[in-house]
Amino acid sequence: MEYFESEALINARASTVWEVITDSGNLTVWESGITAIDGELRNGGTIRIRTPDAGGRTLRLRVEQMPGEVMTWTSGLPLGLFRRVRTFTLSPRAGLTHLKVREEVSGLLAGLRGGIRPDTTRLLYDYCRAVTKRAELLDRSS
């Protein structure tokens, strides 16, 4: 298994950050890294997304949530051949919100991605930076 992660300390309420990361209607408006989304980000739901780094493919993801705290997006292949889990965790810290995004990749086919794989750490860093920018802007205006 390999994992990638990024985190940010955001000057906004946790409820605002949660709204930003779960508002499927606006994920393509700001720099989330998602260019198309179909479905709602709700517990037990399924979404389909497109991202520039997916090579034109649509990714089908199962969504699990503990509202306001944790959300996971899971995709994979049968028999444990490949599994990807992206976990978004929010926690309050002295009037700020700590956002941590971690992606774990496992399975027999995980190592076959080779040099084609995009820099996932950089993508997660860019995502956290974009969430910070949007949440702080929205929190100030409310």
Side-chain angles (χ1 to χ4, degrees), residues 2-3 15 30-31 36-37 46 48 60 64 74 79 86 88 97-98 117 131:
E2 67 181 320
Y3 71 92
S15 60
W30 55 278
E31 300 167 5
I37 184 167
T46 299
R48 288 174 176 75
R60 183 177 182 269
E64 298 293 329
T74 304
L79 306 173
R86 184 172 286 190
F88 307 79
T97 302
H98 180 252
R117 181 183 72 221
V131 170

PDB file of all heavy atoms in Angstrom, residues 2-3 15 30-31 36-37 46 48 60 64 74 79 86 88 97-98 117 131:
ATOM      1  N   GLU A   2       0.460   2.237  -0.733  1.00  0.00           N
ATOM      2  CA  GLU A   2       1.126   3.529  -0.656  1.00  0.00           C
ATOM      3  C   GLU A   2       0.079   4.582  -0.348  1.00  0.00           C
ATOM      4  O   GLU A   2      -1.104   4.391  -0.593  1.00  0.00           O
ATOM      5  CB  GLU A   2       1.908   3.858  -1.929  1.00  0.00           C
ATOM      6  CG  GLU A   2       1.109   4.086  -3.169  1.00  0.00           C
ATOM      7  CD  GLU A   2       1.986   4.382  -4.383  1.00  0.00           C
ATOM      8  OE1 GLU A   2       2.996   5.106  -4.268  1.00  0.00           O
ATOM      9  OE2 GLU A   2       1.632   3.902  -5.456  1.00  0.00           O
ATOM     10  N   TYR A   3       0.536   5.669   0.234  1.00  0.00           N
ATOM     11  CA  TYR A   3      -0.416   6.722   0.567  1.00  0.00           C
ATOM     12  C   TYR A   3       0.211   8.074   0.295  1.00  0.00           C
ATOM     13  O   TYR A   3       1.432   8.227   0.240  1.00  0.00           O
ATOM     14  CB  TYR A   3      -0.898   6.616   2.018  1.00  0.00           C
ATOM     15  CG  TYR A   3       0.138   6.980   3.039  1.00  0.00           C
ATOM     16  CD1 TYR A   3       0.247   8.286   3.512  1.00  0.00           C
ATOM     17  CD2 TYR A   3       1.022   6.031   3.532  1.00  0.00           C
ATOM     18  CE1 TYR A   3       1.207   8.631   4.429  1.00  0.00           C
ATOM     19  CE2 TYR A   3       1.981   6.373   4.458  1.00  0.00           C
ATOM     20  CZ  TYR A   3       2.075   7.664   4.908  1.00  0.00           C
ATOM     21  OH  TYR A   3       3.039   8.012   5.822  1.00  0.00           O
ATOM     22  N   SER A  15     -18.138  24.016   9.686  1.00  0.00           N
ATOM     23  CA  SER A  15     -19.368  23.870   8.895  1.00  0.00           C
ATOM     24  C   SER A  15     -19.199  24.475   7.497  1.00  0.00           C
ATOM     25  O   SER A  15     -19.729  23.940   6.520  1.00  0.00           O
ATOM     26  CB  SER A  15     -20.557  24.509   9.612  1.00  0.00           C
ATOM     27  OG  SER A  15     -20.336  25.893   9.819  1.00  0.00           O
ATOM     28  N   TRP A  30     -14.953  26.104  -8.549  1.00  0.00           N
ATOM     29  CA  TRP A  30     -13.674  26.506  -7.968  1.00  0.00           C
ATOM     30  C   TRP A  30     -12.607  25.477  -8.320  1.00  0.00           C
ATOM     31  O   TRP A  30     -12.887  24.468  -8.941  1.00  0.00           O
ATOM     32  CB  TRP A  30     -13.802  26.739  -6.464  1.00  0.00           C
ATOM     33  CG  TRP A  30     -14.361  25.590  -5.669  1.00  0.00           C
ATOM     34  CD1 TRP A  30     -15.675  25.265  -5.512  1.00  0.00           C
ATOM     35  CD2 TRP A  30     -13.631  24.637  -4.906  1.00  0.00           C
ATOM     36  NE1 TRP A  30     -15.801  24.157  -4.711  1.00  0.00           N
ATOM     37  CE2 TRP A  30     -14.565  23.755  -4.318  1.00  0.00           C
ATOM     38  CE3 TRP A  30     -12.278  24.437  -4.646  1.00  0.00           C
ATOM     39  CZ2 TRP A  30     -14.178  22.699  -3.504  1.00  0.00           C
ATOM     40  CZ3 TRP A  30     -11.899  23.383  -3.835  1.00  0.00           C
ATOM     41  CH2 TRP A  30     -12.832  22.536  -3.272  1.00  0.00           C
ATOM     42  N   GLU A  31     -11.379  25.728  -7.957  1.00  0.00           N
ATOM     43  CA  GLU A  31     -10.238  24.912  -8.381  1.00  0.00           C
ATOM     44  C   GLU A  31     -10.111  23.613  -7.586  1.00  0.00           C
ATOM     45  O   GLU A  31      -9.073  23.301  -7.024  1.00  0.00           O
ATOM     46  CB  GLU A  31      -8.965  25.741  -8.260  1.00  0.00           C
ATOM     47  CG  GLU A  31      -8.986  26.983  -9.119  1.00  0.00           C
ATOM     48  CD  GLU A  31      -7.885  27.959  -8.762  1.00  0.00           C
ATOM     49  OE1 GLU A  31      -7.032  27.641  -7.906  1.00  0.00           O
ATOM     50  OE2 GLU A  31      -7.883  29.051  -9.331  1.00  0.00           O
ATOM     51  N   ALA A  36     -15.943  17.566 -13.933  1.00  0.00           N
ATOM     52  CA  ALA A  36     -17.337  17.160 -14.095  1.00  0.00           C
ATOM     53  C   ALA A  36     -17.705  16.232 -12.954  1.00  0.00           C
ATOM     54  O   ALA A  36     -16.879  15.442 -12.500  1.00  0.00           O
ATOM     55  CB  ALA A  36     -17.547  16.457 -15.436  1.00  0.00           C
ATOM     56  N   ILE A  37     -18.947  16.346 -12.486  1.00  0.00           N
ATOM     57  CA  ILE A  37     -19.431  15.475 -11.415  1.00  0.00           C
ATOM     58  C   ILE A  37     -20.896  15.148 -11.660  1.00  0.00           C
ATOM     59  O   ILE A  37     -21.669  16.007 -12.090  1.00  0.00           O
ATOM     60  CB  ILE A  37     -19.223  16.103 -10.016  1.00  0.00           C
ATOM     61  CG1 ILE A  37     -19.654  15.120  -8.924  1.00  0.00           C
ATOM     62  CG2 ILE A  37     -19.917  17.438  -9.903  1.00  0.00           C
ATOM     63  CD1 ILE A  37     -19.205  15.527  -7.516  1.00  0.00           C
ATOM     64  N   THR A  46     -23.242   7.349  -4.608  1.00  0.00           N
ATOM     65  CA  THR A  46     -22.210   7.092  -5.609  1.00  0.00           C
ATOM     66  C   THR A  46     -22.103   8.331  -6.484  1.00  0.00           C
ATOM     67  O   THR A  46     -23.115   8.922  -6.863  1.00  0.00           O
ATOM     68  CB  THR A  46     -22.588   5.878  -6.485  1.00  0.00           C
ATOM     69  OG1 THR A  46     -22.704   4.729  -5.643  1.00  0.00           O
ATOM     70  CG2 THR A  46     -21.522   5.609  -7.526  1.00  0.00           C
ATOM     71  N   ARG A  48     -19.835  10.112  -9.900  1.00  0.00           N
ATOM     72  CA  ARG A  48     -18.939   9.907 -11.033  1.00  0.00           C
ATOM     73  C   ARG A  48     -18.272  11.248 -11.288  1.00  0.00           C
ATOM     74  O   ARG A  48     -18.965  12.252 -11.415  1.00  0.00           O
ATOM     75  CB  ARG A  48     -19.724   9.438 -12.252  1.00  0.00           C
ATOM     76  CG  ARG A  48     -20.203   8.010 -12.127  1.00  0.00           C
ATOM     77  CD  ARG A  48     -21.119   7.623 -13.290  1.00  0.00           C
ATOM     78  NE  ARG A  48     -21.513   6.233 -13.225  1.00  0.00           N
ATOM     79  CZ  ARG A  48     -22.412   5.743 -12.363  1.00  0.00           C
ATOM     80  NH1 ARG A  48     -22.998   6.535 -11.503  1.00  0.00           N
ATOM     81  NH2 ARG A  48     -22.722   4.466 -12.370  1.00  0.00           N
ATOM     82  N   ARG A  60     -15.799   6.253 -10.906  1.00  0.00           N
ATOM     83  CA  ARG A  60     -16.997   5.960 -10.111  1.00  0.00           C
ATOM     84  C   ARG A  60     -16.548   5.735  -8.674  1.00  0.00           C
ATOM     85  O   ARG A  60     -15.693   4.893  -8.402  1.00  0.00           O
ATOM     86  CB  ARG A  60     -17.690   4.710 -10.653  1.00  0.00           C
ATOM     87  CG  ARG A  60     -18.974   4.372  -9.958  1.00  0.00           C
ATOM     88  CD  ARG A  60     -19.625   3.144 -10.621  1.00  0.00           C
ATOM     89  NE  ARG A  60     -20.870   2.831 -10.000  1.00  0.00           N
ATOM     90  CZ  ARG A  60     -21.007   1.995  -8.969  1.00  0.00           C
ATOM     91  NH1 ARG A  60     -19.964   1.390  -8.470  1.00  0.00           N
ATOM     92  NH2 ARG A  60     -22.193   1.766  -8.450  1.00  0.00           N
ATOM     93  N   GLU A  64     -18.896   7.674   1.636  1.00  0.00           N
ATOM     94  CA  GLU A  64     -19.296   7.409   3.020  1.00  0.00           C
ATOM     95  C   GLU A  64     -18.997   8.676   3.815  1.00  0.00           C
ATOM     96  O   GLU A  64     -17.996   9.344   3.565  1.00  0.00           O
ATOM     97  CB  GLU A  64     -18.531   6.229   3.615  1.00  0.00           C
ATOM     98  CG  GLU A  64     -18.758   4.909   2.900  1.00  0.00           C
ATOM     99  CD  GLU A  64     -20.173   4.385   3.030  1.00  0.00           C
ATOM    100  OE1 GLU A  64     -20.824   4.651   4.067  1.00  0.00           O
ATOM    101  OE2 GLU A  64     -20.642   3.722   2.088  1.00  0.00           O
ATOM    102  N   THR A  74     -14.343   5.936  -2.272  1.00  0.00           N
ATOM    103  CA  THR A  74     -13.683   4.656  -2.514  1.00  0.00           C
ATOM    104  C   THR A  74     -13.973   4.173  -3.929  1.00  0.00           C
ATOM    105  O   THR A  74     -15.116   4.220  -4.392  1.00  0.00           O
ATOM    106  CB  THR A  74     -14.192   3.599  -1.504  1.00  0.00           C
ATOM    107  OG1 THR A  74     -13.987   4.097  -0.179  1.00  0.00           O
ATOM    108  CG2 THR A  74     -13.453   2.287  -1.672  1.00  0.00           C
ATOM    109  N   LEU A  79     -12.022  -8.439  -6.242  1.00  0.00           N
ATOM    110  CA  LEU A  79     -11.014  -9.372  -5.732  1.00  0.00           C
ATOM    111  C   LEU A  79      -9.793  -8.678  -5.140  1.00  0.00           C
ATOM    112  O   LEU A  79      -8.718  -9.266  -5.057  1.00  0.00           O
ATOM    113  CB  LEU A  79     -10.579 -10.355  -6.828  1.00  0.00           C
ATOM    114  CG  LEU A  79     -11.701 -11.126  -7.523  1.00  0.00           C
ATOM    115  CD1 LEU A  79     -11.160 -11.925  -8.691  1.00  0.00           C
ATOM    116  CD2 LEU A  79     -12.431 -12.012  -6.527  1.00  0.00           C
ATOM    117  N   ARG A  86      -9.878   7.844  -0.742  1.00  0.00           N
ATOM    118  CA  ARG A  86      -9.501   9.220  -0.393  1.00  0.00           C
ATOM    119  C   ARG A  86     -10.343   9.615   0.808  1.00  0.00           C
ATOM    120  O   ARG A  86     -11.565   9.551   0.766  1.00  0.00           O
ATOM    121  CB  ARG A  86      -9.750  10.169  -1.555  1.00  0.00           C
ATOM    122  CG  ARG A  86      -9.261  11.587  -1.242  1.00  0.00           C
ATOM    123  CD  ARG A  86      -9.313  12.483  -2.439  1.00  0.00           C
ATOM    124  NE  ARG A  86      -8.234  12.149  -3.361  1.00  0.00           N
ATOM    125  CZ  ARG A  86      -7.917  12.898  -4.417  1.00  0.00           C
ATOM    126  NH1 ARG A  86      -8.589  14.003  -4.687  1.00  0.00           N
ATOM    127  NH2 ARG A  86      -6.926  12.539  -5.217  1.00  0.00           N
ATOM    128  N   PHE A  88     -11.243  12.549   3.680  1.00  0.00           N
ATOM    129  CA  PHE A  88     -11.243  13.967   4.031  1.00  0.00           C
ATOM    130  C   PHE A  88     -11.626  14.039   5.512  1.00  0.00           C
ATOM    131  O   PHE A  88     -12.707  13.581   5.877  1.00  0.00           O
ATOM    132  CB  PHE A  88     -12.293  14.731   3.224  1.00  0.00           C
ATOM    133  CG  PHE A  88     -12.193  14.540   1.729  1.00  0.00           C
ATOM    134  CD1 PHE A  88     -12.692  13.388   1.128  1.00  0.00           C
ATOM    135  CD2 PHE A  88     -11.633  15.519   0.928  1.00  0.00           C
ATOM    136  CE1 PHE A  88     -12.631  13.216  -0.245  1.00  0.00           C
ATOM    137  CE2 PHE A  88     -11.569  15.357  -0.453  1.00  0.00           C
ATOM    138  CZ  PHE A  88     -12.064  14.203  -1.033  1.00  0.00           C
ATOM    139  N   THR A  97     -10.083  25.485  11.406  1.00  0.00           N
ATOM    140  CA  THR A  97     -10.445  24.124  11.010  1.00  0.00           C
ATOM    141  C   THR A  97      -9.253  23.457  10.351  1.00  0.00           C
ATOM    142  O   THR A  97      -8.665  24.003   9.412  1.00  0.00           O
ATOM    143  CB  THR A  97     -11.638  24.133  10.032  1.00  0.00           C
ATOM    144  OG1 THR A  97     -12.741  24.783  10.662  1.00  0.00           O
ATOM    145  CG2 THR A  97     -12.033  22.722   9.639  1.00  0.00           C
ATOM    146  N   HIS A  98      -8.900  22.290  10.847  1.00  0.00           N
ATOM    147  CA  HIS A  98      -7.825  21.495  10.268  1.00  0.00           C
ATOM    148  C   HIS A  98      -8.443  20.537   9.252  1.00  0.00           C
ATOM    149  O   HIS A  98      -9.343  19.772   9.584  1.00  0.00           O
ATOM    150  CB  HIS A  98      -7.085  20.719  11.359  1.00  0.00           C
ATOM    151  CG  HIS A  98      -5.967  19.890  10.833  1.00  0.00           C
ATOM    152  ND1 HIS A  98      -6.037  18.519  10.770  1.00  0.00           N
ATOM    153  CD2 HIS A  98      -4.759  20.237  10.329  1.00  0.00           C
ATOM    154  CE1 HIS A  98      -4.913  18.056  10.267  1.00  0.00           C
ATOM    155  NE2 HIS A  98      -4.122  19.077   9.983  1.00  0.00           N
ATOM    156  N   ARG A 117       1.532   7.762 -13.373  1.00  0.00           N
ATOM    157  CA  ARG A 117       0.804   8.349 -12.250  1.00  0.00           C
ATOM    158  C   ARG A 117       1.141   9.832 -12.081  1.00  0.00           C
ATOM    159  O   ARG A 117       2.291  10.239 -12.077  1.00  0.00           O
ATOM    160  CB  ARG A 117       1.185   7.604 -10.971  1.00  0.00           C
ATOM    161  CG  ARG A 117       0.458   8.130  -9.763  1.00  0.00           C
ATOM    162  CD  ARG A 117       0.910   7.430  -8.509  1.00  0.00           C
ATOM    163  NE  ARG A 117       2.241   7.886  -8.177  1.00  0.00           N
ATOM    164  CZ  ARG A 117       3.207   7.094  -7.739  1.00  0.00           C
ATOM    165  NH1 ARG A 117       3.010   5.831  -7.595  1.00  0.00           N
ATOM    166  NH2 ARG A 117       4.394   7.573  -7.465  1.00  0.00           N
ATOM    167  N   VAL A 131      -9.458  24.663  -1.271  1.00  0.00           N
ATOM    168  CA  VAL A 131     -10.504  24.615  -0.245  1.00  0.00           C
ATOM    169  C   VAL A 131     -10.305  25.758   0.743  1.00  0.00           C
ATOM    170  O   VAL A 131     -11.262  26.439   1.127  1.00  0.00           O
ATOM    171  CB  VAL A 131     -10.520  23.256   0.499  1.00  0.00           C
ATOM    172  CG1 VAL A 131     -11.438  23.311   1.723  1.00  0.00           C
ATOM    173  CG2 VAL A 131     -10.947  22.138  -0.422  1.00  0.00           C
TER     174      VAL A 131
END
